[in-house]
Amino acid sequence: MKGALFLVLMMVVFNACHERSVQQHTSTSQNYISGLASPIRLKFDSTTVLMSDYFTDISGIEKIEFEGQALKVDGAGKLVIKNKPVGKISNLMVIFKGQKHDIPVFATEKTSYHFTYKPSSDKVARVDMSGSMNGWNRKATPLRKEGDLFVTDLVLNSGLYQYRIWEDDQEMMDANNPDKIDNGMGAFNNTFFAGERMPEAHRLMSTAVKDGQIEIKSTGTDVKLEVYFENRLIEYTVQGESFLIRIPEEAKKLKRSHIRIFGSDSVQRTNDILIPLESGEVILDAQNLDRKDMRSAVMYFMMVDRFVNGNSSNDRPTPDPAILPKANNLGGDLHGITQKIKDGYFEKLGINTIWVSPVCQNAEGAWGLWNKGVESKFSGYHGYWPIALRQIDNRFGDEAALKELIDVAHQHQMNVVLDYVAHHVHQEHPLYKQKPEWTTPLYLPDGTMNTEKWDEHRLTTWFDTFLPTWKFADHQVVEALTDTAMYWVEHYELDGFRHDATKHIEEDFWRTLTSKVKKYSESHPERSIYQVGETYGNPELISSYINSGELDAQFDFNLYDAAVDAFAKSNTDFKNLQRVMEESMHYYGSHHLMGNITGNQDRARFISYADGSIEFSEDAKLVGWTRDIQNQGQVGFEKLASLNAFLMTTPGIPCIYYGDEIGMPGGNDPDNRRMMHFGDWNGEQQNLFDRTQQLVHLRRNNMALTYGDLFVLKNDEDAMIYVRSYFGQHVFVVFSKNHTKEWTFELPANYNRTPMKSLGGTGITMENGVIHSIPVKGKVLSHEVFY
């Protein structure tokens, strides 16, 4: 039963504390959707859904129904939804080859927003706005003049947006708006809030499982659920304050399956719940998870050339004096990574997934130029300048070396994710020479060079004058390049891709590649390919690439920026970090697979910001070339330990950038790519490694930290406290910058008061459900994890 009448009946039953079954389809059937169907998010007016995102052969679609109405797909597999759903969550029913499939549908959260700006002078002729609502592309949102104001009308998802103003090509803050936020670069951006500020959403919690029945509780009495086993709606019952879900019998036939629970009231969605099953039983012990359960993954990213030199016979730095040593090959290779796997380094740290930088053959010689403070060209040591897309760089090894690395990793129960560059090639690539028409023009129609125009021309811009961008608007190019990507899947036992420059590539490429991956997986069910992208932008842009037809996830740079602001700086609180963390869960799901980084190859090292070696207002690349940056005492290590504690206790896949486990310092590229070192760590480095190791193993061995729901319990001038909860297993996480006074916090009554273990030594304790913090002299940031 559906619709308003059912909601009324359900609430009558709920309040009377009687039991009533919510009838939904439960018959055993084959699942033709690869993985768990991503929810459809409706847009403002109408929404176009590509059914090929869900089904590899759209000819098998026999019937589609939404909100009681039959819908049809066109010959290209496009489905247009114009119906406005009754509730915040509804369902799209698809009959495919005689089997029923169900896809969650989320009501639109779009809202109209009228933006006004009063210029500093009546002589201003033009006003532009760049911000998180338009990809920081000032030409994307023209403002029109009305009287003495400049205005524009926007359609946005409800939420907070950052922006800056341009008056006649001069960038400035909006002096009329006092609302602003630190932009992480030594300055501020203005902000506005689009839509209505919602009250705190109700919470769903998994509380118990017994005799094949799952119990879910909600903090609200008007919550409605949509419950899915794999990709089919199943029934639940309401009994008192609980929702009861019977695990389908067919789950016993599957080694791994999942139940997903989406909730909503009349105003908004709640958190969603994801429950993994093994042969029909709820997994309660993390020991029953394996490396293919990506929510239990902890990733480690190393640059091949900068990790370990395992075979000196392939050392070939470019013999050009124009390249300074830190911008040249340093000798790291695939053999070196394999050695560290064999040595047990990653197992000791707790890593079960390694991300390897690109291994394709890169250009020889000296390219590019840095000429600020010092002057240097660069070799292709990093792997991002390919001249052959199916050949391994001979400075890293060969086919046998990569296959050995993968085999040894799998023997040690580790995944291998390969960094893949699809966006561009080096000008020396033979295919570019043969088919220059397959790339975008270097010059724009106005005669200007189309390089590094990341937002204004994000789908055609070149990254440098010697790096032509493929013309992904041409499907012939897409077919050729996705075939090349599939070579690495078919020829090597890889477990996934990290995709470079995702937002700069047309979505046709991602859909075509993912379709080919799915078809390959159908004939190779033992393989699963995780795909994670790299996109700098707002959550709406980032999430547009995350769905059943494209990528599994992307790296969450917005969360990283908020974490740097919260943990590296001493004068900030945790309010914005909570906002961004909850925004990520709202956009990508409460149990998303986003990559949460400690740092990466394009950012100055976190610890060097945290200990004051680098100011946020400085040019971190220039600093890296002109100063010898080293660790500056204990404070940076403490702040990095807190960042690690945050990443290891929040949803997503934690990703350690090589060296961050010991606090390696550095400015931006290439200073953040120093050679990794082992065996010569000082006491502070060893201590940070030990603390990181403890956190990683805790993450890997605790179901609450892999599948638990996250709720913030406290966030004020004293501390931020949140809990991860999973069927009675709780982990409480505390971060505090208040070391001038004592404070306490009593846990809500619904959490047990049994004694818990902790990391220890932080000055923060818990007894009988009361968290207690005492002042610690010299401390600027503390964290504690109770489990």
Side-chain angles (χ1 to χ4, degrees):
M1 293 186 291
K2 299 288 183 182
L5 175 60
F6 169 70
L7 285 174
V8 172
L9 290 172
M10 178 177 163
M11 292 316 306
V12 169
V13 170
F14 186 96
N15 293 327
C17 296
H18 293 153
E19 182 174 319
R20 181 180 178 87
S21 174
V22 179
Q23 299 296 327
Q24 296 175 338
H25 182 78
T26 59
S27 67
T28 302
S29 59
Q30 185 172 347
N31 176 24
Y32 286 99
I33 297 177
S34 176
L36 301 177
S38 58
I40 297 168
R41 295 172 181 265
L42 298 182
K43 300 186 183 303
F44 197 62
D45 294 317
S46 66
T47 305
T48 299
V49 180
L50 296 180
M51 296 308 295
S52 56
D53 284 353
Y54 299 96
F55 302 97
T56 55
D57 178 12
I58 59 173
S59 66
I61 297 174
E62 299 167 1
K63 180 181 179 182
I64 299 179
E65 189 174 286
F66 178 66
E67 294 284 288
Q69 295 186 20
L71 302 178
K72 292 185 178 181
V73 295
D74 65 14
K78 292 182 180 179
L79 173 74
V80 178
I81 299 177
K82 296 182 179 180
N83 315 48
K84 299 299 181 184
V86 174
K88 296 300 177 181
I89 303 176
S90 49
N91 182 73
L92 184 77
M93 186 275 292
V94 182
I95 302 296
F96 183 89
K97 294 185 178 180
Q99 304 297 322
K100 184 174 181 290
H101 298 73
D102 295 296
I103 302 172
V105 180
F106 294 168
T108 185
E109 295 177 334
K110 296 287 186 182
T111 185
S112 298
Y113 185 83
H114 184 67
F115 179 85
T116 63
Y117 174 74
K118 185 174 183 179
S120 59
S121 165
D122 56 9
K123 296 180 181 179
V124 173
R126 175 180 170 181
V127 174
D128 297 317
M129 174 175 63
S130 65
S132 56
M133 81 298 296
N134 63 8
W136 297 97
N137 179 5
R138 52 182 284 210
K139 295 185 178 180
T141 311
L143 274 67
R144 63 186 184 275
K145 191 168 186 180
E146 291 185 357
D148 61 348
L149 299 176
F150 284 83
V151 304
T152 190
D153 294 298
L154 304 168
V155 176
L156 303 169
N157 283 332
S158 297
L160 187 73
Y161 292 87
Q162 302 181 38
Y163 71 97
R164 292 182 71 84
I165 290 294
W166 298 74
E167 290 187 354
D168 294 332
D169 296 328
Q170 182 177 353
E171 185 179 7
M172 62 185 61
M173 293 280 289
D174 183 348
N176 307 300
N177 181 4
D179 297 330
K180 61 183 181 179
I181 192 171
D182 191 324
N183 67 4
M185 296 181 288
F188 290 86
N189 296 329
N190 289 110
T191 64
F192 66 81
F193 194 93
E196 182 181 352
R197 293 183 185 270
M198 296 293 186
E200 183 178 4
H202 292 309
R203 300 173 179 177
L204 294 180
M205 294 163 284
S206 57
T207 53
V209 57
K210 184 179 180 182
D211 298 329
Q213 189 165 254
I214 296 168
E215 179 186 64
I216 303 295
K217 290 191 175 181
S218 170
T219 57
T221 59
D222 58 343
V223 171
K224 172 192 173 184
L225 303 185
E226 298 284 344
V227 183
Y228 294 79
F229 169 70
E230 292 298 280
N231 294 310
R232 292 188 302 281
L233 281 169
I234 61 173
E235 68 178 18
Y236 65 89
T237 59
V238 180
Q239 185 173 11
E241 297 179 349
S242 301
F243 300 96
L244 303 178
I245 302 163
R246 176 69 59 183
I247 299 173
E249 282 293 313
E250 62 189 290
K252 296 178 181 179
K253 302 175 183 178
L254 302 173
K255 175 175 172 53
R256 180 70 78 251
S257 57
H258 298 84
I259 287 178
R260 289 187 295 170
I261 304 165
F262 300 95
S264 65
D265 58 20
S266 60
V267 177
Q268 60 190 324
R269 289 185 283 119
T270 69
N271 60 296
D272 57 84
I273 291 177
L274 178 65
I275 302 171
L277 309 175
E278 182 160 13
S279 301
E281 299 286 337
V282 172
I283 297 178
L284 298 175
D285 186 344
Q287 296 299 316
N288 293 323
L289 301 174
D290 59 38
R291 64 181 178 88
K292 292 186 179 181
D293 293 296
M294 288 304 294
R295 286 170 183 82
S296 69
V298 178
M299 189 182 295
Y300 188 99
F301 169 43
M302 78 287 286
M303 300 200 75
V304 177
D305 179 67
R306 303 302 168 95
F307 196 58
V308 176
N309 188 341
N311 181 5
S312 59
S313 68
N314 59 27
D315 292 359
R316 288 195 304 106
T318 301
D320 191 324
I323 306 176
L324 295 183
K326 68 170 58 180
N328 210 333
N329 290 77
L330 297 183
D333 50 36
L334 297 172
H335 299 90
I337 298 172
T338 303
Q339 286 178 14
K340 296 311 290 183
I341 299 173
K342 291 179 177 179
D343 291 348
Y345 181 77
F346 297 109
E347 282 181 289
K348 182 179 180 181
L349 185 55
I351 302 300
N352 65 355
T353 302
I354 58 172
W355 155 22
V356 179
S357 61
V359 299
C360 289
Q361 184 66 51
N362 264 231
E364 303 277 356
W367 301 89
L369 178 65
W370 175 268
N371 59 0
K372 298 178 183 178
V374 297
E375 186 170 301
S376 180
K377 291 189 174 184
F378 301 82
S379 76
Y381 71 89
H382 42 68
Y384 293 97
W385 298 345
I387 61 169
L389 297 180
R390 301 189 183 199
Q391 179 183 333
I392 292 174
D393 196 305
N394 52 30
R395 291 163 289 194
F396 297 160
D398 54 19
E399 177 180 314
L402 180 57
K403 286 187 173 181
E404 183 191 16
L405 186 158
I406 296 169
D407 288 344
V408 172
H410 289 171
Q411 291 165 19
H412 288 75
Q413 300 304 308
M414 294 170 55
N415 299 308
V416 179
V417 173
L418 180 66
D419 202 324
Y420 188 74
V421 183
H423 172 265
H424 59 264
V425 289
H426 192 277
Q427 67 182 35
E428 294 299 316
H429 195 292
L431 185 58
Y432 171 64
K433 294 179 178 180
Q434 295 168 11
K435 293 183 176 292
E437 70 276 10
W438 276 21
T439 61
T440 61
L442 176 58
Y443 290 91
L444 295 166
D446 64 4
T448 59
M449 193 174 288
N450 186 12
T451 55
E452 298 187 0
K453 296 185 182 295
W454 313 121
D455 301 310
E456 186 178 347
H457 295 283
R458 69 178 175 88
L459 293 173
T460 60
T461 194
W462 289 31
F463 286 12
D464 211 325
T465 55
F466 55 88
L467 297 175
T469 293
W470 293 115
K471 188 186 295 182
F472 290 101
D474 183 343
H475 189 71
Q476 179 183 205
V477 175
V478 168
E479 283 292 338
L481 294 178
T482 51
D483 282 346
T484 300
M486 285 303 298
Y487 164 83
W488 294 91
V489 173
E490 296 164 354
H491 201 66
Y492 298 94
E493 296 287 323
L494 292 167
D495 303 291
F497 286 125
R498 177 268 185 186
H499 289 297
D500 189 57
T502 301
K503 76 172 185 179
H504 298 291
I505 299 174
E506 298 274 2
E507 289 188 63
D508 182 37
F509 175 87
W510 303 119
R511 287 193 156 95
T512 303
L513 175 58
T514 298
S515 177
K516 292 179 179 181
V517 167
K518 288 179 180 179
K519 290 175 181 176
Y520 177 84
S521 297
E522 288 173 0
S523 58
H524 298 80
E526 75 284 357
R527 297 281 300 278
S528 57
I529 306 297
Y530 167 72
Q531 297 191 87
V532 58
E534 177 209 30
T535 292
Y536 290 88
N538 63 34
E540 185 170 12
L541 175 64
I542 294 169
S543 63
S544 68
Y545 293 90
I546 304 170
N547 54 66
S548 289
E550 297 183 72
L551 304 181
D552 297 295
Q554 300 218 55
F555 286 96
D556 196 343
F557 298 119
N558 294 316
L559 184 68
Y560 178 70
D561 288 341
V564 170
D565 185 66
F567 294 114
K569 300 176 182 178
S570 299
N571 61 346
T572 54
D573 57 26
F574 300 105
K575 296 291 180 63
N576 187 57
L577 180 60
Q578 177 184 347
R579 181 190 67 80
V580 176
M581 176 176 64
E582 292 178 342
E583 183 178 62
S584 290
M585 290 190 288
H586 189 75
Y587 270 91
Y588 317 128
S590 302
H591 301 277
H592 59 70
L593 291 169
M594 300 290 284
N596 295 332
I597 60 173
T598 63
N600 70 8
Q601 75 276 35
D602 296 322
R603 303 288 187 96
R605 292 279 185 172
F606 171 91
I607 199 169
S608 296
Y609 281 126
D611 67 13
S613 296
I614 304 174
E615 298 292 334
F616 284 95
S617 58
E618 291 185 285
D619 183 334
K621 282 192 177 184
L622 178 62
V623 168
W625 281 106
T626 57
R627 292 210 300 259
D628 179 21
I629 300 171
Q630 300 297 331
N631 296 127
Q632 302 295 322
Q634 183 65 25
V635 64
F637 289 93
E638 288 293 336
K639 290 179 176 181
L640 181 49
S642 288
L643 173 67
N644 289 338
F646 175 74
L647 298 178
M648 295 299 163
T649 58
T650 48
I653 297 179
C655 180
I656 298 172
Y657 181 45
Y658 82 97
D660 281 344
E661 71 270 34
I662 59 170
M664 278 178 59
N668 205 337
D669 168 22
D671 196 41
N672 57 357
R673 306 174 181 185
R674 302 178 188 183
M675 200 71 184
M676 182 63 182
H677 59 102
F678 304 90
D680 59 349
W681 302 342
N682 62 32
E684 290 174 328
Q685 292 169 330
Q686 183 65 55
N687 179 260
L688 180 61
F689 178 89
D690 293 342
R691 296 170 74 179
T692 305
Q693 176 191 42
Q694 183 183 19
L695 281 163
V696 173
H697 282 276
L698 177 61
R699 166 88 179 201
R700 291 276 313 281
N701 291 286
N702 192 295
M703 289 299 295
L705 292 179
T706 51
Y707 282 92
D709 298 289
L710 186 150
F711 306 116
V712 176
L713 303 177
K714 170 186 171 73
N715 194 346
D716 56 21
E717 68 279 1
D718 291 331
M720 178 172 71
I721 301 174
Y722 56 81
V723 60
R724 298 290 302 274
S725 296
Y726 181 83
F727 289 105
Q729 301 177 37
H730 305 299
V731 175
F732 298 94
V733 186
V734 184
F735 297 100
S736 178
K737 291 187 177 183
N738 187 347
H739 298 286
T740 60
K741 71 180 181 72
E742 187 174 355
W743 60 263
T744 61
F745 174 76
E746 184 172 1
L747 298 178
N750 56 312
Y751 296 107
N752 59 49
R753 297 317 199 242
T754 56
M756 305 187 77
K757 298 178 182 179
S758 67
L759 300 180
T762 64
I764 301 173
T765 60
M766 182 166 67
E767 186 175 356
N768 297 324
V770 177
I771 297 174
H772 181 204
S773 177
I774 58 174
V776 179
K777 186 176 181 180
K779 280 272 190 180
V780 295
L781 176 63
S782 292
H783 69 268
E784 186 57 277
V785 180
F786 299 98
Y787 57 98

